[in-house]
């Protein structure tokens, strides 16, 4: 069955970077792209961007342009999301998901806490 | 790109039907059949309930159904059960620079 397993929780200081991984299994990795979504405490879902696992084309939300980089590694069937220049309001659970127009499988989420 | 508009909360008694609306514009919900719905229980990852407006993934109860009229999409839960108590989000393609957008979210309470 399809599984997306994300890396563990992170604690970062303001100004630092974080890189979250999402390892996929149970399907042909290059057949689906990945969406990244975050959820701040008590808030709704926020789309961050999408990457094609086939050709690494990306589309980022304007809010994160210049601060986020999404990549994939087909040799390990893993997608990555790096967010730089972290601020306290970047504290959130970050989710990877399979798909673009709809997300049919989700990772378990990675809590990123930004605190001095 | 603003989020799609959903009611903050909807409630119903067990066995009743409820409908959650998701209002956008002709640039997103109204213009394309790329609306999906997600259920999220506290502390859990979202789960796909409906895609492409009306389609239900394998394993999702047929008590969940989707529809669209103009710029508003809807998720209907029939035969409401205690386990349906959760947050629900709509999600749509948009022709704006954003590509896709989530709804504001709706908390469903089973009375």
């Amino acid at each position: 069955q399809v599984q997306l397993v994300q890396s563990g929780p992170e604690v970062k200081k303001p100004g630092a970077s974080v890189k979250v991984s999402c390892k996929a299994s149970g399907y042909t990795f290059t057949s689906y792209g990945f969406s990244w979504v975050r959820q701040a405490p008590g808030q709704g879902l926020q789309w961050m961007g999408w990457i094609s696992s086939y050709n690494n084309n990306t589309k980022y939300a304007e809010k994160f342009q210049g601060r986020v980089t999404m990549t994939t590694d087909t040799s390990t069937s893993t997608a990555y999301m790096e967010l730089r220049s972290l601020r306290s309001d970047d504290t959130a659970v970050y989710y990877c998901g399979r798909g673009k127009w709809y997300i049919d499988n989700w990772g378990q989420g990675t809590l990123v806490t930004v605190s001095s | 790109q603003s989020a799609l508009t959903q009611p903050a909360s909807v409630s119903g008694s067990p066995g009743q039907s409820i409908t959650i609306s998701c209002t956008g514009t002709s640039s997103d919900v109204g213009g394309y059949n790329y609306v999906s719905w997600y259920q999220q229980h506290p502390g859990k990852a979202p789960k796909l309930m409906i895609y492409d407006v009306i389609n239900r993934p394998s394993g999702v109860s047929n008590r969940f159904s989707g529809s669209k009229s103009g710029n508003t999409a809807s998720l209907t839960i029939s035969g409401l059960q205690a386990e349906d108590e959760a947050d629900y989000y709509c999600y749509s393609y948009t022709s704006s620079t954003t590509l896709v957008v989530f709804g504001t979210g709706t908390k469903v309470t089973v009375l």
Side-chain angles (χ1 to χ4, degrees):
Chain A
Q1 76 283 19
V2 176
Q3 270 198 307
L4 301 178
V5 179
Q6 297 184 224
S7 48
E10 303 262 13
V11 179
K12 297 292 183 181
K13 294 195 181 305
S17 299
V18 69
K19 192 169 186 177
V20 178
S21 67
C22 171
K23 185 170 176 60
S25 61
Y27 70 97
T28 301
F29 182 74
T30 51
S31 294
Y32 297 83
F34 287 87
S35 294
W36 288 88
V37 174
R38 78 177 188 181
Q39 186 170 38
Q43 302 300 307
L45 301 173
Q46 183 176 39
W47 183 77
M48 298 181 69
W50 171 86
I51 181 167
S52 166
S53 306
Y54 176 73
N55 57 16
N56 278 321
N57 280 351
T58 55
K59 177 68 176 179
Y60 301 139
E62 284 186 28
K63 177 181 174 70
F64 301 103
Q65 283 277 4
R67 226 169 39 103
V68 71
T69 301
M70 297 176 187
T71 56
T72 65
D73 181 346
T74 56
S75 68
T76 59
S77 298
T78 303
Y80 298 92
M81 186 284 299
E82 181 180 35
L83 189 62
R84 301 176 292 278
S85 302
L86 290 168
R87 308 183 287 255
S88 58
D89 62 358
D90 290 318
T91 293
V93 176
Y94 289 76
Y95 293 101
C96 64
R98 189 181 81 161
K100 181 165 59 172
W101 309 134
Y102 60 89
I103 301 170
D104 63 0
N105 284 272
W106 294 70
Q108 82 275 21
T110 296
L111 175 62
V112 175
T113 302
V114 183
S115 173
S116 54
Chain B
Q1 171 68 36
S2 299
L4 306 173
T5 301
Q6 298 181 231
S9 61
V10 173
S11 61
S13 299
Q16 287 187 327
S17 291
I18 62 169
T19 296
I20 303 166
S21 61
C22 169
T23 301
T25 68
S26 58
S27 296
D28 39 63
V29 173
Y32 309 92
N33 289 325
Y34 288 131
V35 178
S36 52
W37 289 90
Y38 302 86
Q39 176 193 65
Q40 186 181 34
H41 287 108
K44 300 295 187 182
K47 175 186 176 183
L48 177 67
M49 306 303 283
I50 296 288
Y51 67 96
D52 295 349
V53 179
I54 61 170
N55 295 308
R56 207 171 36 248
S58 172
V60 171
S61 171
N62 59 9
R63 298 185 298 104
F64 292 84
S65 62
S67 62
K68 190 180 81 168
S69 178
N71 295 337
T72 298
S74 298
L75 174 71
T76 297
I77 309 174
S78 58
L80 199 60
Q81 298 180 1
E83 68 207 48
D84 301 332
E85 189 162 289
D87 294 324
Y88 292 82
Y89 295 90
C90 61
Y91 175 86
S92 173
Y93 166 80
T94 171
S95 57
S96 77
T97 56
T98 308
L99 189 66
V100 290
V101 61
F102 276 103
T104 50
T106 298
K107 181 174 181 57
V108 168
T109 301
V110 181
L111 302 171

